[in-house]
Amino acid sequence: MSEVYGRVALIGLGLIASSMFWAMKRAGLAGEVTGYARSAETRETARRIGLCDRICDSAIEAVKDADLVVLCVPVGAMGPVAAEIAPHLKAGATISDVGSVKRHVIDAVAPHLPEGLHFVPAHPLAGTEHSGPESGFAELYDNRWCILVPVEGTDPAATAKLRALWEGMGANVDEMDADHHDLVLAVTSHAPHLIAYTMVGVADDLRRVTDSEVIKYSAAGFRDFTRIAASDPTMWRDVFLTNKEATLEILGRFTEELFALQRAIRTGDGEHLHDYFTRTRAIRRGIIEAGQDTAEPNFGREST
Ligand code: NAP
């Protein structure tokens, strides 16, 4: 694959940025990649493991002459970071981000950007429960979706170029309106994470079940919740603070359905339970057919 951008700057050097760097390197998509992270410790780690071609000690230095700047910081930090770098962006550059919430990021970043820049927000639907500069790997985006959310009036050529970058990193690319993105993600990611956090929190509170029993018998289902509930606390705090309406809407529906299932259990309505579980099983089948998960029993784990 050939070079898409001459110079790319990654601001924030965690799971998402480090995976982007390794994926860009794998396919030769960028001439030079500069990187910046807030703490000296992360910048030092990045230098030690060869993450980015050049690690800079300020965001301003990192974005100098960059053709593409990607904000890879928690959603709540996007606005302040954009305000800091905006006056130093190269004319005609593209600025993007990878935030899990899109409306808030657009509202927080766009007002700082000078005329003549292309703002193309993005969200790769890929991740793990790990974070930090050492957690990234080149294959993270392979066959995963990346959603582009170009703001009104964006030059289609700038969007097409960013699309080429994500495709080069292995992703399938779709475009979506910001509010629709936030609702879809509330269903597929944000509400499920909150439910996992709650389930793990409940088990932790249950004094009737000893800690050792919770851990020993976790393969019965609880373990899969714990993986999600181990996700980065800062990132997820920001997701819920900034995708408030869509998440509350989905949680409202979730609560209603939970009450209906609770009633079915209380009244012994086996037909309701069976019909419900048949419908949910079909959704799992659809995810496997779309190539978004493995059909292997127990997610392909060798033992339980
Ligand atoms: P991460 O591994 O926790 O890394 C976050 C990076 O941002 C770190 O380098 C951190 O610097 C820096 N940072 C944090 N707060 C900052 C601030 N106030 N100002 C400047 N830099 C700051 O996070 P990640 O998982 O890569 O997530 C980054 C973004 O991608 C988030 O917006 C998240 O919503 C989105 N995203 C995440 C996933 C996922 O599954 N993880 C998936 C898709 C999208 P220090 O190390 O120096 O603290």
Side-chain angles (χ1 to χ4, degrees), residues 13-16 18-19 22 49 51 128-137 140:
L13 294 171
L15 169 72
I16 297 300
S18 56
S19 297
W22 299 121
I49 64 172
L51 177 63
T128 73
E129 64 277 31
H130 300 297
S131 47
E134 293 180 278
S135 59
F137 53 98
L140 180 67

Side-chain angles (χ1 to χ4, degrees), residues 13-16 38-39 42 72-74 77 98-100 123-124 126-127 131-132 235:
L13 294 171
L15 169 72
I16 297 300
R38 171 181 58 163
S39 69
T42 299
C72 305
V73 297
V98 293
S100 306
H123 179 203
S131 47
M235 168 185 159

Side-chain angles (χ1 to χ4, degrees), residues 199 209 212-226 298-299 301 303-304:
M199 197 56 232
V209 183
S212 64
E213 275 177 318
V214 169
I215 292 163
K216 186 172 165 189
Y217 301 123
S218 67
F222 181 70
R223 184 179 61 183
D224 296 325
F225 281 105
T226 63
N298 199 27
F299 307 111
R301 286 186 186 116
S303 60
T304 56

Side-chain angles (χ1 to χ4, degrees), residues 105-121:
V105 170
I106 292 171
D107 291 348
V109 170
H112 300 293
L113 302 179
E115 288 283 306
L117 281 173
H118 308 291
F119 183 30
V120 190

